[in-house]
Amino acid sequence: MKTTTRTLLLPAGTRSWLACVAIVLAGCAAQVKAPPPPKASGWTQDRVVDSYVFGYPLVVMSTARAAALAGAGTGPDAGAVLNTLRPVPVIHPEGDTPPPLADVDTLSANAWLDLSQEPVIVSLPETHGRFLDARVLDMWTNVVWSTGPTANARTGAPKPQTIAFVAPGWDGQLPSGVERVDAPGNNLWLGVRIAALDARAVPWARRLESEVRVAPLSAYLAEEHQRHAVRGKHAKRGQHVARAGSDPSESVAEATTGLAANAAAVAQLDANAFFGRLADALRDNPPAPADAHAVKVLADIGVKPGEAVHFPDGSADAIAAGVAEGLRRAMTPPVNAISGNGWNWVGDGVGLFGDDYALRAYAAYAHPGIATKQDEAFPTALVDAAGQPLDGSHAYVLHFAPKALPPVRAYWTITAYTPSGELVPGHVPHYTIDSHDRVRRNRDGSIDIYVSAKSPGRVHQSNWLPVPAGPFELVMRLYAPQPNATDGSWLPPKIEPR
């Protein structure tokens, strides 16, 4: 039986950070209710809808980046936001307000990379078989690089590696042993997540996080030179050179704003604000050549890179209706998303979207920062087996047949949240059920997870997933999933009322 809460606790100083900092690799944005569209139709409205869906991910990413820079202010910390790995605080649910859909089973960090002056180097240490996930996204939320494709086939752990992210047109020299990755633009986002399933794993995860290095090329070369000098001259004294990046205990409260909190902020933007931000972001983050038609449609409604927005005269109603419908579509799982037994999640195309703008927008809304299908999968559920909304006034059971647990190389978790993305309020013995828990199995090897606001009794306590007293949703996180977790051949079990 679990007797302690598994919420990860950082030092007291870090818990005072802004609560809007999101656990960016953990999961998805809180639900946002789309406003009803005004009565309007026609050519302009249709193009506004398409343009909203097309530009939505770029607006989300640009909003998050701008918030991070603005949060650092104009003092000495402002420049440190870029190209610096910043730990994301894990806040105790009974203290400061946690971010939406907080993941309590990982230690996370992220960085906004700026390649405009020189390449940026990212180095991952030896993890000794422990799970560490890292990915780099462009400002359109396409995955530029991730650890998934080369991770260990059994554990999902990455190999030690050093990667240089290079802006278009850069033709300089890189150090030997550094892998070059050509980025589509100057701005990128890096997310790092390390498994920490209980309090005992937190110190190790912190140490591993501190060994992840992020630095511009010039700083990386200077550090390497200093490192070799120290090793040669002072090795016997045990001197060491500090890693590039920030110490988790010294991070600036305002320095990092994640992605999930900004999906809700973008939903509040009117047409002028949304397309104004899009036009500004397009200047530094040009679309792919295959997006030429979408760019033309934007121009047709008066949105051009780096210019003020000029909508057609007399189109206010059509523009407003198009924005409302565009937001609704971004929030709606597209037809090629995977669904079954009341669960929904993105599948094969995630992270490598191409011209699938609907899937890209939905992923940016529901799972901002998500990588490819080889990195993770996040099924979510809002209804039970009968199609009724999940509510803590009822009790449910998730029955996993023998050998039908979530197929992963690393591990899986199930967590309950309120509709606004909060963890279960009050004191509960634990907030998640995960694959490392000592859950009780039935005689045939199957497992029943009891989902309820009240304890199902001592016999089932180890298999109890506490939920809020009212409406709630379930999020299942699959880290380093097997192929059948993302192609629809495996489905989470139905959520059956008890």
Side-chain angles (χ1 to χ4, degrees):
M1 179 187 303
K2 300 180 185 178
T3 58
T4 59
T5 297
R6 290 191 286 105
T7 303
L8 309 185
L9 296 179
L10 295 181
T14 65
R15 294 200 302 270
S16 64
W17 291 7
L18 293 180
C20 67
V21 178
I23 305 294
V24 294
L25 301 178
C28 46
Q31 298 175 56
V32 179
K33 185 176 181 180
K39 294 182 179 179
S41 60
W43 182 91
T44 300
Q45 178 179 334
D46 292 341
R47 278 152 181 76
V48 170
V49 172
D50 293 341
S51 296
Y52 189 101
V53 171
F54 170 73
Y56 179 82
L58 180 57
V59 174
V60 170
M61 294 290 282
S62 299
T63 300
R65 186 177 186 273
L69 296 176
T74 58
D77 296 312
V81 174
L82 299 175
N83 304 327
T84 303
L85 190 68
R86 294 286 181 179
V88 174
V90 182
I91 305 171
H92 196 290
E94 295 178 6
D96 297 329
T97 302
L101 295 166
D103 178 2
V104 297
D105 292 311
T106 63
L107 204 63
S108 301
N110 59 44
W112 291 100
L113 309 185
D114 182 359
L115 317 182
S116 60
Q117 301 300 314
E118 58 182 320
V120 175
I121 309 297
V122 175
S123 295
L124 301 182
E126 172 63 61
T127 69
H128 302 287
R130 301 292 187 97
F131 179 75
L132 181 151
D133 165 84
R135 83 287 307 272
V136 170
L137 276 63
D138 67 14
M139 297 297 284
W140 294 89
T141 69
N142 293 299
V143 175
V144 174
W145 167 89
S146 73
T147 53
T150 59
N152 184 281
R154 184 175 61 84
T155 65
K159 63 181 181 180
Q161 53 196 296
T162 301
I163 305 96
F165 295 95
V166 177
W170 189 83
D171 59 357
Q173 294 291 323
L174 293 173
S176 61
V178 175
E179 177 187 353
R180 174 173 176 148
V181 174
D182 290 288
N186 291 333
N187 301 319
L188 301 173
W189 176 85
L190 164 69
V192 178
R193 181 175 51 199
I194 303 168
L197 292 169
D198 55 44
R200 292 173 298 178
V202 174
W204 173 88
R206 281 192 191 141
R207 288 194 297 271
L208 187 58
E209 182 181 69
S210 71
E211 294 178 6
V212 178
R213 300 166 63 191
V214 178
L217 176 60
S218 58
Y220 174 84
L221 292 174
E223 182 188 352
E224 286 296 296
H225 177 76
Q226 184 181 7
R227 188 190 312 280
H228 290 305
V230 168
R231 285 177 179 173
K233 188 175 181 179
H234 303 291
K236 293 183 180 180
R237 299 183 186 180
Q239 295 187 13
H240 300 280
V241 179
R243 297 287 185 184
S246 64
D247 186 312
S249 65
E250 298 176 351
S251 297
V252 182
E254 295 85 357
T256 305
T257 297
L259 305 182
N262 292 281
V266 170
Q268 306 304 315
L269 300 178
D270 63 16
N272 285 297
F274 179 90
F275 285 106
R277 292 190 187 186
L278 178 58
D280 185 61
L282 283 168
R283 179 178 49 196
D284 296 323
N285 303 280
D291 297 331
H293 178 71
V295 174
K296 181 182 181 302
V297 172
L298 277 170
D300 289 341
I301 63 171
V303 181
K304 298 180 181 180
E307 298 183 12
V309 175
H310 294 288
F311 294 126
D313 293 338
S315 62
D317 287 346
I319 296 292
V323 166
E325 176 61 17
L327 174 59
R328 188 192 68 80
R329 291 193 187 181
M331 294 164 53
T332 304
V335 294
N336 58 336
I338 299 174
S339 62
N341 293 342
W343 298 82
N344 294 282
W345 67 104
V346 289
D348 283 355
V350 63
L352 305 171
F353 300 104
D355 61 356
D356 193 341
Y357 306 142
L359 183 63
R360 187 177 68 181
Y362 176 70
Y365 161 72
H367 306 289
I370 194 170
T372 69
K373 64 179 182 179
Q374 295 171 299
D375 298 289
E376 61 193 4
F378 291 140
T380 61
L382 295 169
V383 297
D384 64 16
Q388 298 300 309
L390 297 175
D391 195 288
S393 60
H394 305 289
Y396 308 89
V397 63
L398 277 170
H399 177 77
F400 290 93
K403 299 181 179 181
L405 289 172
V408 294
R409 290 171 289 151
Y411 63 101
W412 56 265
T413 69
I414 309 175
T415 313
Y417 301 94
T418 68
S420 59
E422 299 171 355
L423 290 165
V424 180
H427 179 73
V428 293
H430 48 266
Y431 291 94
T432 67
I433 292 287
D434 66 64
S435 53
H436 290 74
D437 286 335
R438 295 182 177 180
V439 296
R440 184 172 182 172
R441 290 180 178 269
N442 301 319
R443 290 185 177 182
D444 62 356
S446 63
I447 294 176
D448 291 320
I449 304 297
Y450 296 93
V451 181
S452 59
K454 296 182 179 180
S455 171
R458 178 170 301 193
V459 174
H460 302 307
Q461 186 81 357
S462 62
N463 294 38
W464 176 37
L465 178 63
V467 302
F472 68 92
E473 66 175 310
L474 294 182
V475 176
M476 187 180 295
R477 294 177 168 94
L478 281 62
Y479 299 98
Q482 299 284 2
N484 58 330
T486 56
D487 64 10
S489 58
W490 173 85
L491 294 176
K494 295 179 181 180
I495 305 170
E496 299 281 0
R498 290 184 62 197

